[in-house]
Amino acid sequence: NAGVTQTPKFQVLKTGQSMTLQCAQDMNHEYMSWYRQDPGMGLRLIHYSVGAGITDQGEVPNGYNVSRSTTEDFPLRLLSAAPSQTSVYFCASSPTTEGALGYTFGSGTRLTVV
Amino acid sequence: AQSVSQHNHHVILSEAASLELGCNYSYGGTVNLFWYVQYPGQHLQLLLKYFSGDPLVKGIKGFEAEFIKSKFSFNLRKPSVQWSDTAEYFCAVKGGGYNKLIFGAGTRLAVHP
């Protein structure tokens, strides 16, 4: 049981490049979400999904796209990377939208945009 | 707008001291409340959660939290901290009819031997 798997663990991009951060869970969780963590600002919600085919915006969605074609995968796309997107990105999932059983976090992707 | 406030950004304690970290939220209605811990270099782990029932919730590693609805608060406590409790602590709230788990800015705790 791998839990929540994020790839890559580290990435350096040049300004304007695009890339996709991968998130996969093997627990058949209904709810998945992406956060970015910046010093002094905690975790801020980027996008979330309550099931396959359903996504919605969080607190800081600009510059990011998501899709949820399967229950297992929830990739985060940066269309044109900017230095302001330098951050640590965490994917989280929960069995239900309600979150009664808590949320499981991946180990993070550290992204640097130069 | 939904918001979660953690009052202390940095806390420094000696071992065996008592800990209380504040958390307030701005939602109305039913809320689900969480405390997460992030040890250096690791991802977030759930300490405890409150959904309903007894407002005093006990979690792992001797932590507890009290939900006070009238004060919109969910403060984290531990009677006697250890060096191994050095970490960053995050309060998170889901509620107000939204399917979003919103985090506070976090509190960095340093425990000195």
Side-chain angles (χ1 to χ4, degrees), chain A residues 17-100:
Chain A
Q17 286 185 315
S18 63
M19 80 160 294
T20 300
L21 308 185
Q22 301 291 345
C23 174
Q25 51 89 11
D26 60 358
M27 301 171 284
N28 200 32
H29 282 182
E30 182 176 85
Y31 182 92
M32 297 185 75
S33 55
W34 276 102
Y35 290 86
R36 58 177 290 173
Q37 184 178 22
D38 302 291
M41 304 188 75
L43 281 80
R44 292 180 291 169
L45 181 64
I46 304 172
H47 287 285
Y48 65 99
S49 168
V50 299
I54 307 169
T55 63
D56 206 347
Q57 296 181 349
E59 302 170 276
V60 288
N62 292 341
Y64 306 95
N65 277 357
V66 291
S67 60
R68 184 100 180 266
S69 55
T70 67
T71 299
E72 295 78 18
D73 300 298
F74 190 47
L76 178 72
R77 297 185 194 84
L78 282 70
L79 305 175
S80 178
S84 60
Q85 294 179 304
T86 293
S87 187
V88 180
Y89 292 84
F90 287 99
C91 179
S93 72
S94 180
T96 63
T97 299
E98 182 193 32

Side-chain angles (χ1 to χ4, degrees), chain A residues 3-21:
Chain A
V4 177
T5 303
Q6 290 185 236
T7 56
K9 292 192 183 305
F10 300 94
Q11 183 70 49
V12 179
L13 287 179
K14 293 183 178 179
T15 297
Q17 286 185 315
S18 63
M19 80 160 294
T20 300
L21 308 185

Side-chain angles (χ1 to χ4, degrees), chain B residues 4-104:
Chain B
V4 181
S5 299
Q6 292 184 240
H7 314 300
N8 314 98
H9 296 293
H10 293 93
V11 173
I12 301 173
L13 295 173
S14 298
E15 277 193 317
S18 63
L19 170 71
E20 181 161 2
L21 302 182
C23 173
N24 287 89
Y25 60 92
S26 65
Y27 301 64
T30 302
V31 291
N32 302 327
L33 302 157
F34 304 82
W35 275 97
Y36 281 86
V37 60
Q38 186 177 33
Y39 297 103
Q42 298 188 25
H43 60 280
L44 277 77
Q45 302 172 40
L46 180 66
L47 271 180
L48 48 80
K49 63 182 187 289
Y50 172 81
F51 272 64
S52 63
D54 189 344
L56 185 61
V57 180
K58 295 193 183 300
I60 62 172
K61 304 187 181 187
F63 286 92
E64 64 179 31
E66 185 175 13
F67 170 51
I68 303 179
K69 189 174 182 179
S70 61
K71 294 186 178 180
F72 298 88
S73 70
F74 190 54
N75 292 354
L76 181 71
R77 299 195 291 248
K78 186 171 184 178
S80 176
V81 296
Q82 301 172 322
W83 176 79
S84 58
D85 293 324
T86 294
E88 190 160 14
Y89 293 81
F90 294 94
C91 179
V93 181
K94 180 177 174 296
Y98 297 96
N99 290 323
K100 304 177 186 180
L101 181 65
I102 303 298
F103 283 81

